[in-house]
Each structure stands twice: as structure tokens, then as C-alpha cells.
Amino acid sequence: MINPWALFSFFLFFIITLIFLSEFFYKKNFLNPQIFRAIIHSLVGIGVSISPFIFENFFQPIFLAIIFFSINLFSYKNNQLKSFHNVNRDSLGTILFPISFIILAIPFWENKYFISSSFLILAISDPLASIVGNYYKKAHFYRISKEIKSIEGSLIMFLSTSSILVLLSGNIFNGFNIINSIIAILLCSLFITISESISTKGSDNLSIPLTAFIFIEMFNYLNELKTIIQFSLIISIIICILFYFYRKNHLSLSGFLSASLMATLITGLGGLSYLIPIIIFFISSTVISKLGQSTKHKSSINRSVSQVISNGGIPLLICIINHFYQYDILYLAFLASVAAANSDTWGTEIGKFSNVKPVDIISRITLRKGESGGVTNVGLLGSVIGSFLICISGYLFINNLKYVFLISISGFFGAIFDSILGSTLQGRFISGDGLKISEEKKDNNYLITGVNIFNNDAVNLCCTLSAPIFLLLINYYL
């Protein structure tokens, strides 16, 4: 066995050499920066993918990741290493790359082939998709979120990912029959491609390996349960339903794709007990939002990827954690998070029917209907109903009235916390002419209250995070 610190020194020297060569070629304009960056991305990714097989434990690789993260963060903040960061767009990719490795390596180091496969896809498929998208002259472009992608690049992403999974299937899908292997490879490749397509600002360096690892783990779990066929049928139905909502403009394209990915993971890792509350939240919040549109105070319900993540990201995270570390309290925390999201939506939309204008929850100043931080008695009643609706769905699986009460209260508290954040921390901007105040940051707008980056999605994320915390605290002290 080679001394791990000798290996550490070799990899550190290798990375520093790549950084030096990248900067040298960039300054000399010797090679197209995009291509050379893709080469470095691939070389580092391949090195990461083999690290579980040459290091006995994760200590040295994690140390390397921390060093690499620190170098990239410092250079990004100080406008250094332009060969890495000057990619014609604001990208955090080189910063997120080591973070994704740390997230997977520390708890799952023994899952060597899962980690290796995940970073091999990032090292090979992602750069290939980028090169094809940027340099294929007849590429057909599309926009899902804020960045432009190419159909040809996404196709290459899917095909190369499928090829990698086929080559490694004997190790990552061991014990699968041929039908289950094909389903696992195709669906893994599809959703890894989707995760890349909806990622922005280099976040695919985080989303691709995490999505790959979790989907590989999920299909191994489903294969043990012998339910891959049934799971595929359920997911097909769910995606068709979500597509219907997309066609009806209740979801944007990014919202449809991210909701499909999220529903797939929740179904596969959590089963019906996790899926049903999410379905009830999605359908009830969509219906109540549609009713709210019938009033003169209309609002958009075309949910984007950021809105899907801000409302469903914490429940999904809890579902994933509970898959690996099973505790009964985590399911209650999941329900509380969904209850908070539903409570907030119901409170907002039902409040629009109030004959009384809302008042700020902190200052008690009268606000416009739909403005963040505002509450009405009618809206508060809607929040209670929205939270209780999720509790009813959870009661089918927990059958404990005490927990139903705790979840309902926690979900309602989460919605109240949402209003408090909306009143205090959420950014509000005034137009350059001083005539319009908005909660949306636009060009030539100036911040007047709150925090610049704290928008409605951040508030919703905090809302769904606060409810599980409230539940854990209440449960502890009761």
C-alpha cells in the first residue's frame, strides 16, 4: 500500500501544476480557454473518481478538496485565476466541485463504485455536452432557466452518461436482471441529464454527482424490494400529471423538470407515505392559487425551478436523510415542512378574499394584498386549514393524534415565521424614479429595506426549514 501522504502530495502537485498550466496558456492565448478548462475539469474529475480506490480513508482526499475549495474561493473573490472563472458567465463551478465531493465522501466513502461513477459522469459527460453545445455549428438551442442549453449537448450528456453506467453496471447494478438494469440505466441517465439542464452558474458541478449518486442508490434499494417495474409505472403516471400542469401553465418548463426529478426521488426513497402529502400539497396549493387568481388581485402560479426547490427542497432533503438514517421523527419533520409550505400558500391565497387589507405582522402598517409580511384574520384561518390538510394525509401513516397536532402547529408556526421574515429580512426595492416599490430586484432599482439577496424563494426555504425545527423543539419539551 502506497503511503497516503505520498499520494496526497502527488495529487496536490498535480492540481497545482494544472492550475499553473491553465493560467499560463490563458495568458499566452495558446489554447481556447473553454476547451482547456474542460480538459482540466475532466482530469481532476477522473482523479476524484479513482480516489476511493487508492486512498484507504477519506481524510487525505477531503483535505485536498478543502485546499482546492479555498484556492478557488479566494481566487473568485479576488478576481484571480481568470482561466478558471472567466467563462463568459458568472460561474461557481470550481467552488462547488470540491463541495460535492465532501458531501459524498464523508458519509459514503465505503460506496466506492457509487462515488466513482458519479464523478466519472461529471468528468466526462458534462465537458462533452459543453463542448458540443459551444462548438457544434448546427446546434439547436433552448432555454430552461437562466442559461441557454443545446439539444445536441443534452443528447450527448444522456448518451455518454448511459455509456458510463453500462460499463460500470456490473459494479453499481450488481444483481439486477436485464430489464431492471435497462430501466435503471435509462432513468438514471435521463434525470442526471435533467439535473444538468436546469442547473445554472456552474451548479451542475454539485447537482450532477449528487443526482447520480442518489439515483444509483435509489435503484439498488428498489431492486432489493423488487419494485422497480411498479415504481416505473407510478413515476410515469406522476410525470404525465405534472406535464398536464405544465401545459396548463401551472409549472414552467424548469418547474416541470425539477418537480419530476423531486417526485421521482421522493417516491423511490420514501414510498407512498412521502409521496401522498407532496401530491396533496401540490394539487391543493395549485387549486387554491387558481382560485386566488379569480380575484382582482392576480398572481403568477407558473412555478419555476427556484420555487419548486424553495417549497420542496427541504422535504426532499429530509426524505433522503431518512433513507440513509432511519428515525421515526424524521417523517414527522418531513410532514411539518410540507405543512408549512401548504400553510403559507393557503394563507396567502385565502387572504386575498379578505374584505380587510392586510397589516404588517411586525409594524401593523396597512399593506397591499399579497405583499410579503402582511396578515389578515381570513389568511391566518387559511394557514391553519392548509397545515391541517397535510396532517390529515400524514395521519394515514402515523395514526397518532398527538403527532397530528404537533405537525399542524409546527406547519402554522412555519407560515408565521415566513411572514416575519417577509416583513423584516426580505428585500424591497424602489425604482430609480422613486415611484415604484417592488419585492423583485430589477435593473436601476435600489434596496430600501431588508437584505439584498433575501427574496421570496429564500423566505419560503426558511419557512419549510423552520417548521421541522419547531416540531423537534415542541416534541422535546412536551
Side-chain angles (χ1 to χ4, degrees):
M1 175 68 72
I2 302 175
N3 185 292
W5 288 109
L7 285 171
F8 169 87
S9 300
F10 170 78
F11 273 92
L12 181 60
F13 175 78
F14 176 69
I15 292 172
I16 292 174
T17 301
L18 287 178
I19 293 174
F20 173 79
L21 289 175
S22 176
E23 285 295 285
F24 177 79
F25 288 142
Y26 177 80
K27 291 176 181 178
K28 296 294 183 181
N29 199 24
F30 180 73
L31 187 65
N32 186 299
Q34 291 278 60
I35 294 179
F36 194 75
R37 189 173 183 272
I39 293 172
I40 293 177
H41 179 93
S42 294
L43 291 174
V44 173
I46 291 171
V48 169
S49 69
I50 65 174
S51 64
F53 301 100
I54 59 178
F55 286 97
E56 188 174 349
N57 58 60
F58 60 73
F59 182 77
Q60 287 84 10
I62 292 296
F63 194 13
L64 280 169
I66 293 172
I67 293 173
F68 190 51
F69 168 79
S70 302
I71 291 173
N72 281 294
L73 181 62
F74 176 83
S75 63
Y76 179 82
K77 291 285 187 181
N78 294 279
N79 198 27
Q80 302 294 319
L81 297 182
K82 294 183 179 180
S83 61
F84 277 27
H85 303 301
N86 284 10
V87 289
N88 300 321
R89 59 188 172 95
D90 184 19
S91 176
L92 300 173
T94 56
I95 298 171
L96 295 175
F97 192 122
I99 291 177
S100 64
F101 178 72
I102 292 170
I103 291 173
L104 292 179
I106 293 178
F108 306 117
W109 189 249
E110 297 304 318
N111 296 64
K112 299 181 184 298
Y113 284 102
F114 290 12
I115 293 175
S116 179
S117 302
S118 302
F119 283 96
L120 205 56
I121 291 169
L122 180 63
I124 296 175
S125 301
D126 185 38
L128 283 176
S130 177
I131 290 172
V132 170
N134 287 321
Y135 297 103
Y136 180 58
K137 294 182 179 179
K138 296 182 179 180
H140 299 80
F141 297 101
Y142 65 94
R143 184 189 295 271
I144 289 182
S145 50
K146 295 181 180 179
E147 294 182 5
I148 296 175
K149 308 283 184 175
S150 74
I151 294 175
E152 290 78 9
S154 295
L155 181 61
I156 290 296
M157 180 76 192
F158 176 82
L159 292 175
S160 58
T161 299
S162 299
S163 300
I164 291 170
L165 293 178
V166 168
L167 291 173
L168 297 175
S169 60
N171 299 109
I172 59 176
F173 299 131
N174 187 31
F176 284 47
N177 62 42
I178 186 65
I179 299 297
N180 287 347
S181 292
I182 292 173
I183 292 173
I185 290 168
L186 291 178
L187 288 182
C188 281
S189 302
L190 173 64
F191 283 105
I192 292 168
T193 302
I194 288 174
S195 74
E196 189 276 336
S197 69
I198 61 178
S199 299
T200 60
K201 296 185 177 181
S203 59
D204 52 354
N205 282 358
L206 183 68
S207 64
I208 289 174
L210 294 186
T211 302
F213 183 93
I214 295 170
F215 266 86
I216 292 170
E217 163 65 26
M218 182 186 73
F219 275 104
N220 277 271
Y221 171 68
L222 292 172
N223 189 60
E224 290 179 5
L225 299 178
K226 303 185 186 304
T227 58
I228 288 181
I229 300 294
Q230 298 92 315
F231 164 79
S232 303
L233 293 175
I234 292 172
I235 286 304
S236 299
I237 295 171
I238 291 172
I239 291 176
C240 287
I241 294 172
L242 290 173
F243 184 74
Y244 169 81
F245 280 100
Y246 161 66
R247 296 291 295 175
K248 292 294 182 180
N249 293 321
H250 297 303
L251 288 168
S252 67
L253 179 57
S254 68
F256 161 65
L257 294 174
S258 56
S260 298
L261 192 154
M262 188 175 294
T264 301
L265 287 175
I266 287 176
T267 305
L269 298 175
L272 291 179
S273 62
Y274 281 81
L275 177 63
I276 289 176
I278 285 289
I279 290 176
I280 291 176
F281 159 64
F282 178 75
I283 293 177
S284 69
S285 62
T286 300
V287 171
I288 205 70
S289 296
K290 190 67 175 177
L291 291 176
Q293 274 197 327
S294 66
T295 70
K296 62 181 180 179
H297 307 281
K298 292 188 178 182
S299 61
S300 172
I301 56 172
N302 197 283
R303 293 185 178 91
S304 65
V305 57
S306 61
Q307 292 169 314
V308 170
I309 292 174
S310 64
N311 283 287
I314 298 299
L316 173 61
L317 179 62
I318 295 172
C319 178
I320 292 172
I321 293 173
N322 193 46
H323 170 76
F324 292 104
Y325 310 99
Q326 296 182 0
Y327 297 98
D328 291 340
I329 194 68
L330 285 176
Y331 181 61
L332 305 183
F334 167 84
L335 291 174
S337 186
V338 179
N342 208 45
S343 179
D344 176 49
T345 303
W346 274 64
T348 300
E349 300 302 333
I350 293 294
K352 293 177 183 178
F353 292 95
S354 174
N355 294 323
V356 180
K357 286 188 175 181
V359 295
D360 188 276
I361 194 170
I362 300 296
S363 67
R364 312 307 294 174
I365 296 173
T366 301
L367 303 175
R368 295 169 297 172
K369 289 190 176 182
E371 191 171 348
S372 295
V375 294
T376 64
N377 290 333
V378 173
L380 291 173
L381 178 61
S383 291
V384 171
I385 296 173
S387 182
F388 186 71
L389 189 62
I390 300 301
C391 296
I392 294 174
S393 67
Y395 183 72
L396 299 173
F397 303 100
I398 56 177
N399 196 26
N400 188 313
L401 290 177
K402 171 193 170 183
Y403 290 141
V404 169
F405 173 76
L406 290 182
I407 294 164
S408 183
I409 291 296
S410 300
F412 177 69
F413 281 177
I416 295 297
F417 186 61
D418 180 285
S419 296
I420 293 172
L421 291 179
S423 171
T424 56
L425 293 184
Q426 184 170 345
R428 286 180 174 81
F429 304 87
I430 190 168
S431 59
D433 56 15
L435 298 178
K436 285 186 177 182
I437 295 177
S438 171
E439 295 175 359
E440 184 179 352
K441 185 178 180 181
K442 299 178 181 178
D443 292 338
N444 300 320
N445 278 15
Y446 303 93
L447 180 72
I448 52 173
T449 62
V451 179
N452 192 22
I453 61 172
F454 211 80
N455 59 13
N456 190 61
D457 291 334
V459 171
N460 288 338
L461 188 68
C462 291
C463 166
T464 56
L465 176 61
S466 66
I469 295 174
F470 286 137
L471 181 135
L472 293 174
L473 291 174
I474 296 171
N475 185 61
Y476 178 81
Y477 285 106
L478 278 182

